[in-house]
Amino acid sequence: MPDRSFLAWPFFEDRHRDLAERLETWCAKNLPVAHDDIDAACRELVTMLGRDGWLKPTAVDPANPQPLDVRTLCITRETLARHDGLADFAFAMQGLGTGAISLFGDAAQKKWLEKTRAGKAISAFALSEPRSGSDVANMDMEARRIGDNYVLAGEKTWISNGGIADFYVVFARTGEAPGAKGLSAFLVPADTPGLTVAERLEVIAPHPLARLKFDHVEVPAAALIGKAGDGFRIAMSVLDVFRSTVGAAALGFARRALDESIKRASGRELFGAPMADLQMVQGHIADMALDVDAAALLIYRAAWTKDMGAARVTREAAMAKLYATDRAQAVIDRAVQLHGGDGVRRGHIVESLYREIRALRIYEGASDVQKVVIARQVLSEFKQS
Ligand SMILES: Cc1cc2nc3c(=O)[nH]c(=O)nc-3n(C[C@H](O)[C@H](O)[C@H](O)COP(=O)(O)OP(=O)(O)OC[C@H]3O[C@@H](n4cnc5c(N)ncnc54)[C@H](O)[C@@H]3O)c2cc1C
């Protein structure tokens, strides 16, 4: 049983502790699912999670709009990731893909949320392009206003759920101003003529991922989310909510690696004594436990700060994501070491964690970019003081 002591921390309310217990029981019964067919597995996970009510926190309830609860998102991601990385992915994308609609959508657009929260529609967030990943403002994709419509032309790449999504939230250049101030967000159903999957992308921890082509894709002006020219602000507001949850997923992977290592060190004999009696093994375990707890503190600090009504948690979320993902990589690497040959055997849990963790240090703001963000915040706070 993983360490549960963090649930007593003052960041949480009893409803979070209750959620953690109920979800743990659900995961033990339902996860992992078979991953042989990744698209089918993701669809099945979205259906299961929606059927049993776990997707409700991913988006606002159109009938009773309340702010998204970041602590709930983080506890859910942490728990799902500890049991099955693909389950975490399926949950996370329902949130990231609908975040712009939850925060800025109108009543008609929010109709989609009834479906995504019930696991009856799959969403995706389409920001990155071949020439603009970290450099979002360098986006090439255009959306030209023609009469009552917008016409989208260009490419998006690295789009999670690409190929299985029912709709995409797409960011494109509408040109109100140069750079970041000339972008807008659109809700584009996957069956809109001209929108095609140009390429499916394979990565070391498989999940549905695609490059999308937009060839004269016409959407009504009502597809615009928020105001024209607000796309960059919308994307950053969505990431402000979901960035700490990436840290929470990394924390789930790290906790699993620590648990597996404790089991291994306690159950295996080396040189006539339990492996856990070797002081260097204890050193690894201590470093792993320290990294896990420090990451959890940063993540739940960021989540709590947002839930308490902070307009932005740029610094807290950047610290949480940077630290939790980087340290999870180190924790998992130690787990591989402690497992010896088994650690690199295809199909072993620590081998899959080793592959799962890597992309989290790249997407939703690479680690280097998080450092830039933290430094900018800290330096500007000093200037203002
Ligand atoms: C598995 C996976 C899933 C993804 N899912 C989605 C998705 O659903 N939707 C979506 O829109 N995108 C998604 N992405 C794209 C992801 O957000 C980008 O890959 C990421 O923003 C980095 O962009 P890039 O790949 O173009 O790398 P680049 O922008 O070329 O950056 C490469 C490297 O340069 C360094 N770097 C970049 N900027 C700076 C800086 N300012 N200072 C110092 N160093 C810097 C970093 O080390 C960075 O990793 C996904 C990516 C992956 C790998």
Side-chain angles (χ1 to χ4, degrees), residues 39 63 66 98 131 148 245-246 325 333 346 371:
D39 287 4
Q66 300 289 328
T98 56
R131 278 185 357 105
D148 288 341
T245 80
V246 180
T325 55
D333 190 61
R346 195 179 292 278
K371 283 187 193 168

PDB file of all heavy atoms in Angstrom, residues 39 63 66 98 131 148 245-246 325 333 346 371:
ATOM      1  N   ASP A  39      -5.808   2.866 -29.267  1.00  0.00           N
ATOM      2  CA  ASP A  39      -7.025   3.666 -29.503  1.00  0.00           C
ATOM      3  C   ASP A  39      -8.210   3.042 -28.774  1.00  0.00           C
ATOM      4  O   ASP A  39      -8.981   3.736 -28.104  1.00  0.00           O
ATOM      5  CB  ASP A  39      -7.353   3.719 -31.006  1.00  0.00           C
ATOM      6  CG  ASP A  39      -6.385   4.605 -31.768  1.00  0.00           C
ATOM      7  OD1 ASP A  39      -5.429   5.108 -31.145  1.00  0.00           O
ATOM      8  OD2 ASP A  39      -6.588   4.793 -32.980  1.00  0.00           O
ATOM      9  N   ALA A  63     -24.853  22.932 -15.994  1.00  0.00           N
ATOM     10  CA  ALA A  63     -26.082  23.189 -15.227  1.00  0.00           C
ATOM     11  C   ALA A  63     -25.782  23.877 -13.897  1.00  0.00           C
ATOM     12  O   ALA A  63     -26.659  24.506 -13.305  1.00  0.00           O
ATOM     13  CB  ALA A  63     -26.813  21.872 -14.985  1.00  0.00           C
ATOM     14  N   GLN A  66     -19.196  25.698 -11.447  1.00  0.00           N
ATOM     15  CA  GLN A  66     -18.309  25.971 -10.304  1.00  0.00           C
ATOM     16  C   GLN A  66     -16.883  25.942 -10.852  1.00  0.00           C
ATOM     17  O   GLN A  66     -16.632  25.226 -11.819  1.00  0.00           O
ATOM     18  CB  GLN A  66     -18.419  24.851  -9.250  1.00  0.00           C
ATOM     19  CG  GLN A  66     -19.801  24.637  -8.661  1.00  0.00           C
ATOM     20  CD  GLN A  66     -20.198  25.775  -7.743  1.00  0.00           C
ATOM     21  OE1 GLN A  66     -19.337  26.362  -7.100  1.00  0.00           O
ATOM     22  NE2 GLN A  66     -21.478  26.113  -7.732  1.00  0.00           N
ATOM     23  N   THR A  98     -10.916  20.340 -22.935  1.00  0.00           N
ATOM     24  CA  THR A  98     -12.134  21.142 -22.728  1.00  0.00           C
ATOM     25  C   THR A  98     -11.862  22.398 -21.900  1.00  0.00           C
ATOM     26  O   THR A  98     -12.778  23.193 -21.684  1.00  0.00           O
ATOM     27  CB  THR A  98     -13.210  20.326 -21.987  1.00  0.00           C
ATOM     28  OG1 THR A  98     -12.642  19.845 -20.756  1.00  0.00           O
ATOM     29  CG2 THR A  98     -13.724  19.165 -22.807  1.00  0.00           C
ATOM     30  N   ARG A 131       6.492  24.202 -36.506  1.00  0.00           N
ATOM     31  CA  ARG A 131       7.463  25.282 -36.247  1.00  0.00           C
ATOM     32  C   ARG A 131       7.236  25.999 -34.922  1.00  0.00           C
ATOM     33  O   ARG A 131       7.962  26.926 -34.586  1.00  0.00           O
ATOM     34  CB  ARG A 131       7.388  26.328 -37.372  1.00  0.00           C
ATOM     35  CG  ARG A 131       8.160  25.954 -38.611  1.00  0.00           C
ATOM     36  CD  ARG A 131       8.180  27.054 -39.681  1.00  0.00           C
ATOM     37  NE  ARG A 131       7.402  28.239 -39.383  1.00  0.00           N
ATOM     38  CZ  ARG A 131       7.940  29.409 -39.019  1.00  0.00           C
ATOM     39  NH1 ARG A 131       9.232  29.542 -38.894  1.00  0.00           N
ATOM     40  NH2 ARG A 131       7.141  30.448 -38.797  1.00  0.00           N
ATOM     41  N   ASP A 148     -19.764  35.103 -42.353  1.00  0.00           N
ATOM     42  CA  ASP A 148     -20.148  34.604 -41.027  1.00  0.00           C
ATOM     43  C   ASP A 148     -19.274  33.432 -40.581  1.00  0.00           C
ATOM     44  O   ASP A 148     -19.581  32.788 -39.570  1.00  0.00           O
ATOM     45  CB  ASP A 148     -21.614  34.129 -41.053  1.00  0.00           C
ATOM     46  CG  ASP A 148     -22.550  35.318 -41.137  1.00  0.00           C
ATOM     47  OD1 ASP A 148     -22.096  36.438 -40.809  1.00  0.00           O
ATOM     48  OD2 ASP A 148     -23.707  35.128 -41.558  1.00  0.00           O
ATOM     49  N   THR A 245      -1.202  19.632 -12.696  1.00  0.00           N
ATOM     50  CA  THR A 245      -1.697  18.250 -12.765  1.00  0.00           C
ATOM     51  C   THR A 245      -0.721  17.343 -13.519  1.00  0.00           C
ATOM     52  O   THR A 245      -0.721  16.131 -13.315  1.00  0.00           O
ATOM     53  CB  THR A 245      -3.119  18.165 -13.387  1.00  0.00           C
ATOM     54  OG1 THR A 245      -3.041  18.237 -14.806  1.00  0.00           O
ATOM     55  CG2 THR A 245      -4.052  19.232 -12.853  1.00  0.00           C
ATOM     56  N   VAL A 246       0.113  17.928 -14.401  1.00  0.00           N
ATOM     57  CA  VAL A 246       1.154  17.116 -15.059  1.00  0.00           C
ATOM     58  C   VAL A 246       2.140  16.654 -13.976  1.00  0.00           C
ATOM     59  O   VAL A 246       2.586  15.502 -13.945  1.00  0.00           O
ATOM     60  CB  VAL A 246       1.886  17.909 -16.163  1.00  0.00           C
ATOM     61  CG1 VAL A 246       2.951  17.048 -16.823  1.00  0.00           C
ATOM     62  CG2 VAL A 246       0.913  18.435 -17.202  1.00  0.00           C
ATOM     63  N   THR A 325       8.304  16.527 -12.326  1.00  0.00           N
ATOM     64  CA  THR A 325       8.630  15.699 -13.493  1.00  0.00           C
ATOM     65  C   THR A 325      10.125  15.348 -13.518  1.00  0.00           C
ATOM     66  O   THR A 325      10.491  14.212 -13.788  1.00  0.00           O
ATOM     67  CB  THR A 325       8.215  16.388 -14.815  1.00  0.00           C
ATOM     68  OG1 THR A 325       8.822  17.681 -14.884  1.00  0.00           O
ATOM     69  CG2 THR A 325       6.715  16.547 -14.913  1.00  0.00           C
ATOM     70  N   ASP A 333      14.553   6.208 -12.325  1.00  0.00           N
ATOM     71  CA  ASP A 333      15.873   5.702 -12.704  1.00  0.00           C
ATOM     72  C   ASP A 333      16.482   4.885 -11.550  1.00  0.00           C
ATOM     73  O   ASP A 333      17.074   3.822 -11.766  1.00  0.00           O
ATOM     74  CB  ASP A 333      16.786   6.868 -13.091  1.00  0.00           C
ATOM     75  CG  ASP A 333      18.076   6.370 -13.717  1.00  0.00           C
ATOM     76  OD1 ASP A 333      18.007   5.716 -14.769  1.00  0.00           O
ATOM     77  OD2 ASP A 333      19.156   6.601 -13.125  1.00  0.00           O
ATOM     78  N   ARG A 346      11.483  -5.649 -20.958  1.00  0.00           N
ATOM     79  CA  ARG A 346      10.270  -5.125 -21.576  1.00  0.00           C
ATOM     80  C   ARG A 346       9.044  -5.685 -20.875  1.00  0.00           C
ATOM     81  O   ARG A 346       8.951  -6.898 -20.650  1.00  0.00           O
ATOM     82  CB  ARG A 346      10.240  -5.510 -23.061  1.00  0.00           C
ATOM     83  CG  ARG A 346       9.241  -4.732 -23.877  1.00  0.00           C
ATOM     84  CD  ARG A 346       9.298  -5.143 -25.321  1.00  0.00           C
ATOM     85  NE  ARG A 346      10.548  -4.737 -25.969  1.00  0.00           N
ATOM     86  CZ  ARG A 346      10.780  -3.523 -26.460  1.00  0.00           C
ATOM     87  NH1 ARG A 346       9.860  -2.589 -26.370  1.00  0.00           N
ATOM     88  NH2 ARG A 346      11.927  -3.249 -27.048  1.00  0.00           N
ATOM     89  N   LYS A 371      11.869  26.863 -16.128  1.00  0.00           N
ATOM     90  CA  LYS A 371      12.907  27.623 -15.408  1.00  0.00           C
ATOM     91  C   LYS A 371      12.860  29.094 -15.813  1.00  0.00           C
ATOM     92  O   LYS A 371      12.996  29.984 -14.972  1.00  0.00           O
ATOM     93  CB  LYS A 371      14.307  27.052 -15.712  1.00  0.00           C
ATOM     94  CG  LYS A 371      14.557  25.784 -14.950  1.00  0.00           C
ATOM     95  CD  LYS A 371      15.991  25.316 -15.107  1.00  0.00           C
ATOM     96  CE  LYS A 371      16.069  23.887 -14.585  1.00  0.00           C
ATOM     97  NZ  LYS A 371      17.294  23.218 -14.925  1.00  0.00           N
TER      98      LYS A 371
END
